[in-house]
Amino acid sequence: MTNSSPRLISDDLAKVIELARESDSIELKLTLPERAYRSAAAALGVDPLDAQLRQVFFFDTPDLRLDAAGVVVRARRVRDRDDSVIKLRPVVPSELPAELRRSPELVVEVDAMPGGYVCSASLKRRLATPDVASVVAGKLPLRKIFSKTQRAFFLEHAPDGVALEDLSILGPILVLKFKFQPEGTSQKYVAEMWIYPDGTRVVELSTKCLPAEMITIALEARAFLESKGIPLSGEQHTKTRTALRFFSKELQDLQS
């Protein structure tokens, strides 16, 4: 007989539940092993012709000083609109300034995947004009696609001495995005394929829910994916981190 006893809830799960209570939404994510891409697409009924095409650009220093500080600067080109995001992660929602927390631009979200989780705070701006291409072409300063609130958020959390004007363009990445609701489920899913310039691909399945629904939706999603023969184990890749490392190496190779 020992003095230890099994825990009803693991420390990680308890922390996720605590963060979820203070967040706006939960995103459950799963990246697939390459061997499962074709079988998963067939099992889920995903048609490549239904894909929404996107270009994603990140902005950081060549040595990824923003990434090291937990700051992500991103812009996307989509056929009918562009958008920009300043993101900070990890965050504790209760520690965010009350004024910022009330901002309609701010979304606090917990991303959970097998073996890990992170809570982030994102300030997103939908652009009225397709200005991202102009920024990438050097015709428009980067700051122009970010709101005053986004720029202030960046200045507060970026490392000392790093300004928006100092950032390099990391990208683009071609993204195919599919939105679908599988037959027999009430939950909507998203599948994204990120295609890197060297042909490397990352495929991610995700679904969003309200914090109060997290456990129920997670169990339902697991059962659904298992019923389709989709592997739930294996190494998980974060799309952003993979992209940043790829383009950082490319920039540093060019400078050497």
Side-chain angles (χ1 to χ4, degrees):
M1 183 175 180
T2 64
N3 292 327
S4 63
S5 59
R7 294 176 178 174
L8 180 62
I9 298 177
S10 70
D11 290 342
D12 280 349
L13 180 56
K15 184 61 177 177
V16 171
I17 292 173
E18 180 183 348
L19 289 170
R21 288 173 177 164
E22 301 174 339
S23 301
D24 301 315
S25 64
I26 310 296
E27 186 166 16
L28 305 173
K29 298 182 174 183
L30 174 72
T31 58
L32 302 181
E34 188 167 1
R35 60 180 171 78
Y37 291 173
R38 295 175 68 179
S39 60
L44 296 172
V46 174
D47 186 339
L49 296 182
D50 293 333
Q52 180 190 71
L53 188 63
R54 298 179 167 200
Q55 270 191 324
V56 177
F57 296 87
F58 293 95
F59 303 89
D60 204 329
T61 61
D63 57 354
L64 303 183
R65 292 181 62 191
L66 289 185
D67 180 53
V71 178
V72 177
V73 179
R74 185 188 73 203
R76 293 185 296 200
R77 296 184 65 212
V78 188
R79 185 175 299 276
D80 59 342
R81 69 186 188 284
D82 289 357
D83 62 50
S84 65
V85 173
I86 304 286
K87 179 184 290 188
L88 179 66
R89 60 185 182 190
V91 299
V92 177
S94 60
E95 296 178 359
L96 293 171
E99 182 178 359
L100 178 65
R101 194 69 180 88
R102 290 192 296 268
S103 170
E105 293 182 22
L106 184 77
V107 174
V108 177
E109 184 169 84
V110 175
D111 290 344
M113 64 177 61
Y117 65 90
V118 65
C119 185
S120 62
S122 301
L123 282 171
K124 181 176 179 179
R125 181 189 183 195
R126 178 174 288 191
L127 303 175
T129 54
D131 288 336
V132 173
S134 296
V135 167
V136 172
K139 299 177 181 178
L140 194 69
L142 179 59
R143 67 178 183 276
K144 291 294 186 179
I145 61 173
F146 296 103
S147 67
K148 182 178 179 180
T149 303
Q150 286 176 309
R151 295 196 299 270
F153 191 54
F154 174 85
L155 287 174
E156 182 177 357
H157 297 287
D160 291 341
V162 178
L164 284 172
E165 292 75 13
D166 301 324
L167 304 182
S168 299
I169 299 170
L170 304 181
I173 296 167
L174 183 66
V175 178
L176 302 178
K177 181 173 182 177
F178 308 84
K179 296 181 180 180
F180 60 101
Q181 183 173 336
E183 186 177 351
T185 72
S186 59
Q187 193 68 14
K188 295 179 180 179
Y189 287 80
V190 170
E192 288 189 1
M193 175 178 283
W194 285 42
I195 305 171
Y196 300 85
D198 66 349
T200 302
R201 298 175 295 173
V202 172
V203 173
E204 178 188 87
L205 296 177
S206 65
T207 188
K208 289 191 178 187
C209 63
L210 296 174
E213 302 172 325
M214 181 181 68
I215 300 297
T216 299
I217 297 302
L219 292 173
E220 289 180 356
R222 180 185 182 90
F224 168 72
L225 294 175
E226 285 180 336
S227 74
K228 295 295 184 179
I230 295 173
L232 303 181
S233 60
E235 185 178 1
Q236 296 295 296
H237 300 276
T238 60
K239 306 185 302 292
T240 296
R241 184 62 52 80
T242 301
L244 291 174
R245 289 176 177 172
F246 177 91
F247 289 109
S248 171
K249 183 179 184 304
E250 187 176 70
L251 279 178
Q252 293 185 60
D253 287 347
L254 288 173
Q255 294 173 356
S256 62

